Amino acid sequence: MKRHAPATERNRKPIATVLELELPANGTVLEIASGSGEHAVYFAERFPQLIWQPSDCEPEAIASISAYRDEVGLPNLAEPLEFFTVDPQWPIDACDAIFCANMIHISPWASAHGLFHHAGNLLARGAPLILYGPFFEDGTATAASNLAFDQSLKARNPDWGIRHINDVDALAEETGFQRAERYEMPANNLTLVYRRC
């Protein structure tokens, strides 16, 4: 029932270093597309003062997250929520930060629209929406591995693909956000921090 995503072990420490700079001192962090649940466990352990709320749209992922949650028994790791970012309503009324890793390129662009739209309703002014993953960027050479990854994604689904930062920034501005930070991460990834205006 538990899933294992090898990339989570490689990227969780660098991501946590950024989260330590950007997350609030306390409150609830909504994680979108939690996948296996391994990030949720690690970050809940790393930030015990925060309630970590995992979520995913796939029943198999929800089962994996629940299995990890039952195993570790962390008091600040909430039961996972099941929903799509494009759903008209989300099963949460408010949160203090949103974290989303490796989703907007492995889903239709409408998923990113749903993410930012709902984030605008959930987050208070100044609260962060934090994205992690590969992005295309003007003035920066694209790694061959990211080009190949983009092609493989589009071969699987034409609506998928690595997104351009300009497009994400434009979507953010349309929904009341402004990019506040950009962090270079290992393996040709970035962490982008948007804050509610």
Side-chain angles (χ1 to χ4, degrees), residues 24 60 88 102 193:
E60 295 83 3
N102 292 322
V193 180

Side-chain angles (χ1 to χ4, degrees), residues 9-140:
E9 292 184 1
R10 296 193 297 269
N11 64 31
R12 63 188 185 181
K13 288 184 179 179
I15 293 173
T17 299
V18 172
L19 294 181
E20 191 169 11
L21 299 172
E22 299 293 344
L23 291 178
N26 49 58
T28 297
V29 180
L30 172 62
E31 181 183 6
I32 300 294
S34 300
S36 67
E38 293 165 286
H39 268 165
V41 169
Y42 182 79
F43 296 142
E45 290 176 334
R46 180 76 177 260
F47 304 105
Q49 76 281 12
L50 294 168
I51 297 171
W52 200 270
Q53 176 62 71
S55 71
D56 207 278
C57 64
E58 296 183 354
E60 295 83 3
I62 296 295
S64 179
I65 299 164
S66 296
Y68 278 110
R69 179 177 179 271
D70 292 344
E71 181 180 74
V72 298
L74 294 170
N76 64 321
L77 182 55
E79 292 186 14
L81 302 174
E82 184 177 350
F83 62 93
F84 289 87
T85 59
V86 295
D87 287 348
Q89 298 291 328
W90 285 8
I92 183 172
D93 295 324
C95 59
D96 301 285
I98 295 176
F99 170 68
C100 179
N102 292 322
M103 185 213 58
I104 67 171
H105 58 282
I106 314 179
S107 60
W109 184 234
S111 297
H113 276 265
L115 171 62
F116 274 91
H117 169 76
H118 285 288
N121 295 327
L122 293 176
L123 295 174
R125 180 170 297 184
L129 166 57
I130 303 170
L131 303 180
Y132 168 86
F135 296 90
F136 292 139
E137 186 175 20
D138 288 342
T140 301

Side-chain angles (χ1 to χ4, degrees), residues 143-167:
S145 59
N146 278 356
L147 290 173
F149 184 40
D150 182 58
Q151 291 175 354
S152 70
L153 289 172
K154 290 175 178 175
R156 290 163 61 189
N157 187 323
D159 292 330
W160 294 3
I162 295 177
R163 310 304 178 182
H164 198 289
I165 285 182
N166 289 351
D167 294 329

Side-chain angles (χ1 to χ4, degrees), residues 173-189:
E173 291 182 9
E174 290 171 9
T175 50
F177 286 84
Q178 189 77 33
R179 177 150 58 92
E181 296 291 346
R182 169 197 175 278
Y183 296 92
E184 292 188 9
M185 308 295 287
N188 302 305
N189 289 307

